[in-house]
Amino acid sequence: MRLGLALGYWGRGPSPAHLDLAREAERLGYDSVWTAEAWGSDAFTALTWIAAHTSRIRLGTAVAQMAARAPTTTAMHALTLDHLSGGRLLLGLGLSGPQVVEGWYGRPFPRSPLTATREYVDVVRQVLRREGPVRLDGRHHSHPYAGEDGTGLGKALKPITHPLRADVPILLGAEGPKNVAQTLAIADGWLPLYWTPDRWAEVYALPERPPEGFLVAPMVRAHLCDDVAAGLLPVKAMLGFYIGGMGHAARNFHADLMGRMGYEKEARRVQELFAAGRREEAVLAVPDAFADEISLVGPRARIAERLDSWRRGPVTDLLVTSPDPATLRALAELNA
């Protein structure tokens, strides 16, 4: 099981610690470093900055939002950064949800998200393979554009720039069972948001042995500390925001996943409190058991014991979220 460093997206501004953390992760032997985006900083610019200041560590987006860019634009970002970094890119994509897609990007959330994802990946792969002009007569993506409001003058094109690699790994952030099943069929890897090392088969309906070479790369919040309850508070804060604030009450994929993991009543309570503006109460309403199950928190011996359970499953890459160099160092030593 390889280790990755998940930096996420910026908050109010760029974190001065991110570049130092990425360099430290590379020094410690971490295999990859990952950036993200929500409705603030973008994933590719920050990753390019890190690429310029590192030499070996692989560079992943976890995730770049599909609604943010046409698939050909994402492919342009991918082939450019893959060239500049010497072939280190891992392209993680996610559909996001209706609240972000329609509220931030100002476009309709697809009524058939599986089809939209499949078409998006198809176009990106066509660009990177550069076997011919990009062509797709899809439900959500049309190349060349064939809509009634078009000019009819569109021309099928292939990229001017020759991609460094035709097979840049594409990973998908997927949560629902059908989405996970499709990810196994069309992608090179999967980026689970919440991973339970002991109940993954029942929660995700994932085969015991995914396809050969398929990447399973969940994120895990990690904190080396003596007080487990205190160490779980940042995990609960993250969960409170994702479950309560990252989606509409009627359609929230994160809350749905928490429900499938056995905490449906608690997920709805977190949503209610967050919607009512009672955010501190929403965070405290996240069960410690749930936060603990999906994280690595506590003294070194406790983390070492729990890390073994993550290794026993199908996880190939463990993407660690931690701003603490001591925690990153301990995990590198324990996973050696």
Side-chain angles (χ1 to χ4, degrees):
M1 184 177 72
R2 295 177 292 262
L3 294 179
L5 170 65
L7 294 173
Y9 45 80
W10 296 352
R12 181 171 296 184
S15 170
H18 278 185
L19 183 56
D20 288 340
L21 286 171
R23 287 168 160 170
E24 177 67 2
E26 182 171 66
R27 189 190 70 78
L28 290 170
Y30 278 60
D31 179 75
S32 56
V33 58
W34 302 73
T35 57
E37 59 190 12
W39 49 89
S41 61
D42 79 277
F44 288 103
T45 306
L47 201 60
T48 303
W49 181 251
I50 292 169
H53 292 83
T54 56
S55 59
R56 176 198 58 79
I57 198 166
R58 293 198 292 173
L59 309 153
T61 56
V63 294
Q65 295 173 325
M66 288 185 251
R69 308 164 186 86
T72 46
T73 308
T74 293
M76 290 166 65
H77 278 297
L79 73 85
T80 303
L81 181 49
D82 202 47
H83 265 293
L84 292 175
S85 66
R88 290 191 277 155
L89 182 66
L90 297 159
L91 182 60
L93 302 171
L95 201 58
S96 192
Q99 194 173 50
V100 174
V101 173
E102 297 184 2
W104 181 248
Y105 294 114
R107 55 187 304 173
F109 186 78
R111 295 185 180 275
S112 51
L114 292 176
T115 302
T117 298
R118 188 166 58 250
E119 291 177 3
Y120 200 101
V121 171
D122 184 357
V123 172
V124 172
R125 289 203 190 280
Q126 285 191 53
V127 174
L128 294 176
R129 287 170 179 162
R130 203 180 178 272
E131 295 172 347
V134 176
R135 296 184 184 277
L136 181 66
D137 183 16
R139 180 174 176 179
H140 300 276
H141 299 284
S142 178
H143 296 268
Y145 183 70
E148 293 181 359
D149 57 343
T151 64
L153 301 177
K155 179 183 179 181
L157 301 168
K158 65 180 180 180
I160 297 170
T161 305
H162 290 237
L164 180 65
R165 292 184 297 162
D167 58 349
V168 171
I170 296 177
L171 298 86
L172 295 176
E175 293 181 49
K178 291 182 180 179
N179 205 345
V180 173
Q182 176 173 270
T183 297
L184 286 163
I186 69 170
D188 304 297
W190 174 38
L191 294 159
L193 183 60
Y194 311 139
W195 181 264
T196 168
D198 299 316
R199 299 189 293 129
W200 55 267
E202 65 181 85
V203 171
Y204 290 110
L206 189 70
E208 187 171 340
R209 292 187 178 181
E212 183 69 26
F214 187 83
L215 305 179
V216 178
M219 295 188 189
V220 60
R221 295 254 170 173
H223 188 193
L224 183 66
C225 60
D226 294 327
D227 188 336
V228 174
L232 288 175
L233 281 176
V235 183
K236 294 175 67 168
M238 175 273 294
L239 289 169
F241 177 66
Y242 271 72
I243 294 159
M246 278 274 202
H248 192 272
R251 195 167 188 185
N252 184 314
F253 302 128
H254 310 312
D256 292 343
L257 176 56
M258 183 176 171
R260 288 198 302 276
M261 295 177 75
Y263 298 94
E264 183 173 2
K265 181 179 177 181
E266 292 86 348
R268 302 310 164 201
R269 180 59 176 161
V270 171
Q271 285 185 297
E272 291 170 3
L273 291 168
F274 201 94
R278 298 157 62 183
R279 298 191 176 190
E280 290 186 9
E281 291 179 65
V283 169
L284 294 177
V286 175
D288 281 8
F290 176 51
D292 193 31
E293 183 176 1
I294 64 170
S295 62
L296 287 167
V297 173
R300 184 182 176 102
R302 186 176 194 267
I303 289 179
E305 181 181 352
R306 291 173 57 77
L307 192 62
D308 284 340
S309 64
W310 291 76
R311 287 198 199 93
R312 286 194 294 267
V315 173
T316 60
D317 298 79
L318 189 61
L319 311 186
V320 180
T321 298
S322 176
D324 176 33
T327 298
L328 298 180
R329 184 167 56 252
L331 284 169
E333 293 168 355
L334 291 171
N335 196 56

